[in-house]
Amino acid sequence: MKLLKFAILALFAGVLIYASNDLPYRGDPDNLMHAERSITDTPVKGNYFIQEAYNDARTPNMVTVVLGDYRSIDTFGEQVVIFTAGLITILVLRKQRRREE
Amino acid sequence: MLEFFTGHYAYWFTVILLCVGVYGIMFKKNLIKKTIGLAILQISVVMYWVSIANKWDATVTTLDPNIPVDQVANYLNPLPHTLMLTAIVVGVATLGVAFTLLIAIYNRYGTLDEQELLEKIQ
Amino acid sequence: MKEQFQSPIVLLGSRLLSPYIMLFGWYVIIHGHYSPGGGFQGGALLAASVLLIRVAGGTRLSSLQLREVINTPMATLGVAIYFLTGVVAVLAGGFFLDYGQLPIPGLEAAWLRYYGILIIEVGIGLTVMAILIMIYDNMVKGEDHA
């Protein structure tokens, strides 16, 4: 049984490594991901972030602009997730403690 | 051949890290160790995203007045970095929830072993 | 449960380090516009400075620095800062979280976005700090007697 599990894991790793050989070269500036225009001839969003971040928000750090301005509603969702995680720790453990008493 | 290796070895290492995480989930009996395996798996995905966002001869995503911005090859793509930045913190918070649930399970059943738990639940 | 081991050297070292880590955390939040940093990283540093005292000094001593009761209001304050910034932008006639419409006189839209990002980064920092401390506090409650 354990041997079967190891075989499955090795097969999984082999499939993943075989698939990763067809990925684009790491760091190649000619990747489709880094290109100016995408395959469907629409502008790639990352280039817009690089070029217009300072003009839009006067902030040199592009990651901050993407985090706080362009994707601010997404960040708000993340913050609510963190907040909910904290509330869950309070609720679960408080109930446990009351049962012990 | 060497170019192929330098272009792909980062992917192989993230695959190995992912398999270490899957090993922890599949083989370990203790639930804490399974949770640590989940955390390793998550970190491997984060490292994969950061590695595909790399560009040779590009600088960090902070605007430098000496480096022109109209040539986008000079800067890294900020979008994957932003996504992983939030994913790391949310991962820490959800890991806290996982350990909280494990503490609750331990307080109720007195064990964290998978087989003993299955017997005690029935 | 085992009694916590009290070491004056560890406590002194933590007391020396903690204020500087907290100052560095605020620096990372405020200076996140110009260097790598921001609310998430700065909040984690702030939480680290408080948790250092929590680990070294135990519950009774660390409550002198930051009491456990403050955690939940501080996390709520962080979410409220973020949400109210968006709501103020809506009331001023823009979209939700459209900082260019914030009612601060004498600034053009790009600089309003600058300050809007700063405000929400502080909110994120407060929430992350409070939640990380909250997770630790709830996990170890009733387990240390120092």
Side-chain angles (χ1 to χ4, degrees):
Chain A
M1 191 60 200
K2 199 157 190 175
L3 211 63
L4 184 66
K5 276 183 175 178
F6 263 117
I8 290 173
L9 190 60
L11 192 69
F12 181 60
V15 167
L16 280 182
I17 287 179
Y18 173 72
S20 75
N21 287 344
D22 274 346
L23 284 172
Y25 284 41
R26 183 178 76 98
D28 187 5
D30 299 330
N31 277 356
L32 281 177
M33 175 183 158
H34 302 312
E36 300 264 349
R37 314 281 296 179
S38 68
I39 306 176
T40 53
D41 202 32
T42 50
V44 175
K45 210 61 188 168
N47 298 330
Y48 177 82
F49 293 154
I50 291 172
Q51 286 172 348
E52 299 295 327
Y54 187 75
N55 298 330
D56 279 347
R58 293 286 181 273
T59 305
N61 193 347
M62 299 153 196
V63 171
T64 304
V65 181
V66 177
L67 184 83
D69 199 338
Y70 297 126
R71 295 184 66 93
S72 52
I73 296 179
D74 181 52
T75 310
F76 181 63
E78 307 271 5
Q79 198 188 10
V80 172
V81 167
I82 298 170
F83 183 66
T84 316
L87 291 189
I88 286 171
T89 59
I90 289 185
L91 293 176
V92 171
L93 290 178
R94 190 183 61 185
K95 201 175 170 188
Q96 289 290 321
R97 238 170 269 127
R98 195 179 289 158
R99 182 175 292 152
E100 281 172 20
E101 293 162 2
Chain B
M1 187 63 206
L2 185 66
E3 194 180 351
F4 181 81
F5 181 76
T6 53
H8 287 85
Y9 73 96
Y11 305 143
W12 300 337
F13 278 119
T14 52
V15 166
I16 290 171
L17 201 58
L18 191 141
C19 286
V20 170
V22 174
Y23 169 82
I25 296 170
M26 279 171 68
F27 285 84
K28 294 297 175 186
K29 297 278 184 274
N30 194 321
L31 288 182
I32 296 259
K33 290 177 183 173
K34 277 181 192 286
T35 313
I36 293 172
L38 265 179
I40 294 173
L41 198 153
Q42 186 187 23
I43 290 301
S44 82
V45 175
V46 169
M47 292 178 77
Y48 174 71
W49 271 73
V50 172
S51 70
I52 61 169
N54 191 20
K55 253 188 243 181
W56 296 129
D57 301 327
T59 184
V60 292
T61 59
T62 305
L63 186 72
D64 192 340
N66 299 322
I67 301 173
V69 81
D70 48 346
Q71 187 65 256
V72 289
N74 286 334
Y75 287 96
L76 294 176
N77 194 346
L79 192 55
H81 294 93
T82 310
L83 294 176
M84 289 308 107
L85 177 62
T86 52
I88 289 171
V89 179
V90 172
V92 170
T94 50
L95 198 64
V97 173
F99 281 124
T100 304
L101 292 177
L102 289 185
I103 290 174
I105 288 173
Y106 188 79
N107 282 344
R108 178 155 175 175
Y109 292 103
T111 179
L112 280 178
D113 191 273
E114 198 185 9
Q115 295 298 326
E116 292 181 29
L117 261 179
L118 285 177
E119 290 165 7
K120 285 196 179 183
I121 284 174
Q122 283 162 3
Chain C
M1 208 57 206
K2 208 160 61 176
E3 286 286 317
Q4 191 168 6
F5 179 64
Q6 278 283 2
S7 163
I9 298 175
V10 171
L11 187 56
L12 182 67
S14 314
R15 279 172 55 197
L16 280 176
L17 265 178
S18 172
Y20 296 106
I21 295 178
M22 185 171 273
L23 189 67
F24 183 63
W26 282 111
Y27 166 76
V28 167
I29 292 180
I30 305 286
H31 207 257
H33 285 57
Y34 300 101
S35 66
F40 287 107
Q41 300 96 317
L45 276 169
L46 292 176
S49 75
V50 175
L51 289 183
L52 196 59
I53 299 288
R54 286 268 205 282
V55 171
T59 309
R60 192 175 54 80
L61 212 71
S62 62
S63 68
L64 297 175
Q65 189 195 22
L66 190 80
R67 291 175 59 200
E68 266 185 47
V69 193
I70 303 180
N71 283 340
T72 317
M74 199 158 59
T76 316
L77 179 71
V79 178
I81 286 174
Y82 204 136
F83 185 70
L84 288 180
T85 311
V87 169
V88 164
V90 169
L91 292 181
F95 295 111
F96 185 63
L97 286 168
D98 182 7
Y99 310 126
Q101 304 288 335
L102 287 180
I104 304 175
L107 288 173
E108 54 177 306
W111 283 103
L112 278 176
R113 290 208 176 84
Y114 178 94
Y115 288 111
I117 292 173
L118 187 63
I119 292 169
I120 65 148
E121 294 272 12
V122 171
I124 293 170
L126 283 179
T127 303
V128 171
M129 171 194 183
I131 294 301
L132 290 183
I133 298 171
M134 193 190 284
I135 289 173
Y136 175 82
D137 277 346
N138 285 305
M139 275 190 185
V140 304
K141 187 169 279 185
E143 305 239 335
D144 64 339
H145 306 283

